């Protein structure tokens, strides 16, 4: 069974830039997996940030960007702010009507 | 604005059943696929099931196949999740989510399902 991998935790300084990644336990992530990214604050519903690798969801600031870096999907946050501190999840569409979430990355801004 | 409001969660004994509903507004419901996504306490997100805009095709994660059924009533702008033979591991917040291009777009606020004796 293929596992979607994310860094369990990451830290960034206020104003800094951080890149979170989303990989596969076997194989490379490409645009064919339609990678997407979600932000979740504890106790709240997730918020969609990026879909189809690079498309920002409505209302998402351009500090958030998506890409493919090497064999992984990536979410880059520039100019990190205190309220960016939360959990980030990626999702890959595995085909045949199956979507798989990564385990999530807990981002700390300090 | 697009809004999704889930209801129907609660406490149920193992082996019991529950039906969740999701009322949609602010968009043409009958034009969009819809998902259910869940999150167990203290855990990550898990995709559960998807239905095409017209209900003609449905997909499920392996752990719920044969127990859960997704359906929709486009005349009522409502999505449903019938959950049977519930297990402790089905305990979670269940989110109704609008589809966008093989991903998740707008999320509801979630409804809590607790399976416990």
């Amino acid at each position: 069974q293929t596992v979607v991998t994310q860094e369990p935790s990451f830290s960034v300084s206020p104003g800094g830039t951080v890149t979170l990644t989303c990989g596969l336990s076997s194989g490379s992530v490409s645009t064919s997996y339609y990678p997407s990214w979600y932000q979740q604050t504890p106790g709240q519903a997730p918020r969609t940030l990026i879909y189809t690798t690079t498309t920002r969801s409505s209302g998402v600031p351009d500090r958030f960007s998506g890409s493919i870096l090497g064999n992984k999907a990536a979410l880059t946050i520039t100019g990190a702010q205190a309220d960016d501190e939360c959990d980030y999840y990626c999702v890959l569409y595995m085909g045949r009507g199956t979507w798989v979430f990564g385990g999530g990355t807990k981002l700390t801004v300090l | 604005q697009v809004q999704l409001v889930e209801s129907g969660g609660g406490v149920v004994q193992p082996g019991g059943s529950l039906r969740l509903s999701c009322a949609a507004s602010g968009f043409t419901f009958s034009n969009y696929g819809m998902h259910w996504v869940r999150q167990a306490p203290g855990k990550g997100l898990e995709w559960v099931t998807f239905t095409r805009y017209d209900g003609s095709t449905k997909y499920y994660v392996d752990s719920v196949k044969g127990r859960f059924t997704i359906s929709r009533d486009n005349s009522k702008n409502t999505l449903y999740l019938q959950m049977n033979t519930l297990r402790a591991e089905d305990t979670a917040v269940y989110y109704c989510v609008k589809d966008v291009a093989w991903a998740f777009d707008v999320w509801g606020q979630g409804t809590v399902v607790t399976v416990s004796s």
Side-chain angles (χ1 to χ4, degrees):
Chain A
Q1 180 178 342
T2 302
V3 175
V4 177
T5 62
Q6 294 185 248
E7 299 87 357
S9 62
F10 226 115
S11 63
V12 61
S13 300
T17 296
V18 62
T19 296
L20 311 182
T21 68
C22 177
L24 286 168
S25 57
S26 176
S28 299
V29 177
S30 68
T31 57
S32 299
Y33 285 90
Y34 302 97
S36 53
W37 292 90
Y38 307 86
Q39 178 188 59
Q40 188 180 34
T41 302
Q44 301 297 314
R47 171 198 182 195
T48 301
L49 295 175
I50 302 285
Y51 60 94
T52 56
T53 308
T54 60
T55 305
R56 267 186 297 277
S57 187
S58 176
V60 174
D62 58 9
R63 302 189 297 107
F64 295 88
S65 62
S67 63
I68 298 290
L69 286 182
N71 62 350
K72 296 182 179 182
L75 173 70
T76 299
I77 307 171
T78 59
Q81 301 176 357
D83 59 5
D84 294 336
E85 183 167 296
C86 58
D87 296 327
Y88 292 85
Y89 293 91
C90 72
V91 171
L92 300 179
Y93 177 63
M94 309 304 281
R96 300 182 181 180
T98 302
W99 287 261
V100 179
F101 280 88
T105 297
K106 181 177 292 293
L107 181 67
T108 300
V109 180
L110 54 74
Chain B
Q1 75 282 17
V2 175
Q3 193 169 14
L4 299 168
V5 179
E6 303 94 335
S7 60
V11 180
V12 60
Q13 293 188 339
S17 298
L18 212 54
R19 188 176 86 153
L20 307 183
S21 298
C22 170
S25 60
F27 66 105
T28 305
F29 180 71
S30 58
N31 286 353
Y32 290 90
M34 296 293 296
H35 303 263
W36 288 98
V37 173
R38 67 184 178 183
Q39 187 170 34
K43 302 297 185 181
L45 296 163
E46 180 184 36
W47 171 77
V48 176
T49 180
F50 167 80
T51 177
R52 272 174 49 111
Y53 67 96
D54 58 358
S56 62
T57 302
K58 302 171 186 182
Y59 300 112
Y60 300 90
V61 68
D62 285 348
S63 59
V64 308
K65 283 180 181 175
R67 300 189 300 121
F68 289 14
T69 302
I70 189 172
S71 63
R72 62 191 300 158
D73 186 337
N74 286 344
S75 68
K76 295 182 178 179
N77 292 340
T78 302
L79 179 72
Y80 301 101
L81 183 64
Q82 178 66 45
M83 304 186 294
N84 297 331
T85 320
L86 282 160
R87 306 167 179 166
E89 54 265 36
D90 296 318
T91 295
V93 177
Y94 284 73
Y95 295 102
C96 166
V97 194
K98 175 178 170 284
D99 180 76
V100 62
W102 299 274
F104 311 114
D105 185 10
V106 178
W107 299 67
Q109 86 289 349
T111 188
V112 178
V113 173
T114 302
V115 184
S116 173
S117 54

